[in-house]
Amino acid sequence: MANRRLPMRKIKEVLRLRFECRLSEREIARSCQISRTTVTDYLRRATIARLNWAEAAAFGEVQLVERLFPVIHLVKEPSSIQRPVPDYEYIYDQLRAYRKFNLTLTQLWLEYKEKHPDGYQYSQFCDLYRHWRGKLDYVMRQEHRAGEKAFIDYSDGLSILDPSTGELILTQLFLAVWGASNYTYAEASLSQTLPEWIGSHRRSLEYFGCAPRVLVPDNLKSGVSKACKYEPELNPTYTDMAEHYGCAVLPARPR
């Protein structure tokens, strides 16, 4: 069932609260006792119609309906007509750059239509942009300051042969990597026990010739007794070692 149109008095109240009182959409919805989606729809229509509160207040019901709900006459167009393609990268960059100023797709569509009057209508413009954005390969980038963090973890190492038994023993590869430069120290050990863990830290810091401000270990039992997203519990020996070298320990958050 289609949504009913709001009474004209309530539509005007939505516009007044937005343009004159500067309320947020959430506050308007609560004040008018309507859904936030409805508020968004009417404000979008007002933006497309380039309607301000002074005009809306002076309009009668018929005039306001004509501005907010224009009758669209569909004309079948030849398939050969090519509409100007929106600059998706520009739209994406603008939305990111002016996010704190609440820049919206509606405003960018109005800018697009001003340049290309024969361009896509709002709904198709949004669909095309969202389709393009959905194909982006998002990568989480982390920026690190020099000397700030070293990331600590273990990986599977090479297998070594026990000459007395002929057994292949898988080693544990200790890795310490500086966040800013990716400068890396690696050594193989036979286990991930606490003595091996502390010893590998000591040798890595001796190799680097300095200590970082922060050690970021994975949640290995040797370093983190209890993994927790907010309050991890560190091994006391590991805490003492960090204090000795003047480091802080911030374990990686568990996945």
Side-chain angles (χ1 to χ4, degrees), residues 20-180:
E20 191 172 59
C21 299
R22 304 294 182 184
L23 296 189
S24 68
E25 292 182 5
R26 191 184 302 277
E27 291 169 329
I28 295 171
R30 190 164 63 244
S31 175
C32 295
Q33 297 184 330
I34 56 179
S35 71
R36 186 177 175 183
T37 304
T38 302
V39 174
T40 301
D41 179 58
Y42 280 95
L43 294 179
R44 178 181 65 82
R45 290 177 179 276
T47 301
I48 294 173
R50 299 179 181 272
L51 190 64
N52 57 45
W53 170 239
E55 291 178 321
F59 280 166
E61 182 172 346
V62 174
Q63 290 174 298
L64 193 55
V65 168
E66 287 177 348
R67 289 289 293 274
L68 293 178
F69 303 94
V71 177
I72 300 174
H73 300 284
L74 298 178
V75 178
K76 189 174 181 180
E77 299 177 347
S79 58
S80 59
I81 293 180
Q82 296 293 325
R83 297 188 181 279
V85 177
D87 187 342
Y88 302 120
E89 290 188 8
Y90 169 78
I91 296 169
Y92 179 77
D93 291 340
Q94 290 293 300
L95 288 173
R96 285 174 58 86
Y98 295 98
R99 180 168 44 194
K100 65 180 180 180
F101 298 107
N102 297 319
L103 181 67
T104 64
L105 271 177
T106 301
Q107 293 166 298
L108 291 170
W109 172 75
L110 290 171
E111 181 182 318
Y112 162 79
K113 285 290 282 184
E114 191 172 337
K115 293 180 181 177
H116 308 289
D118 58 338
Y120 291 104
Q121 296 305 313
Y122 178 75
S123 59
Q124 196 167 9
F125 174 88
C126 292
D127 289 342
L128 289 169
Y129 171 71
R130 289 176 182 132
H131 177 72
W132 174 86
R133 190 183 62 184
K135 296 188 293 184
L136 289 180
D137 182 18
Y138 291 101
V139 177
M140 183 177 178
R141 299 183 182 276
Q142 296 189 24
E143 295 183 1
H144 303 290
R145 288 180 292 181
E148 182 180 38
K149 293 179 181 178
F151 295 85
I152 315 296
D153 201 359
Y154 274 111
S155 177
D156 289 338
L158 298 174
S159 295
I160 59 174
L161 181 67
D162 186 335
S164 61
T165 64
E167 180 186 3
L168 284 175
I169 302 173
L170 180 64
T171 62
Q172 304 297 311
L173 187 64
F174 173 90
L175 294 165
V177 183
W178 289 85

Side-chain angles (χ1 to χ4, degrees), residues 150-152 154 174 176 187 193-206 208 210-217 222-224 234-250:
F151 295 85
I152 315 296
Y154 274 111
F174 173 90
E187 71 170 36
T193 59
L194 183 60
E196 297 274 13
W197 173 254
I198 298 297
S200 293
H201 273 76
R202 178 178 59 80
R203 288 185 289 274
S204 69
L205 297 179
E206 288 175 354
F208 292 136
C210 60
R213 288 183 61 248
V214 179
L215 293 168
V216 185
S222 300
V224 183
L234 299 178
N235 182 292
T237 304
Y238 191 41
T239 302
D240 291 342
M241 185 215 73
E243 183 178 352
H244 172 75
Y245 285 104
C247 302
V249 178
L250 294 177

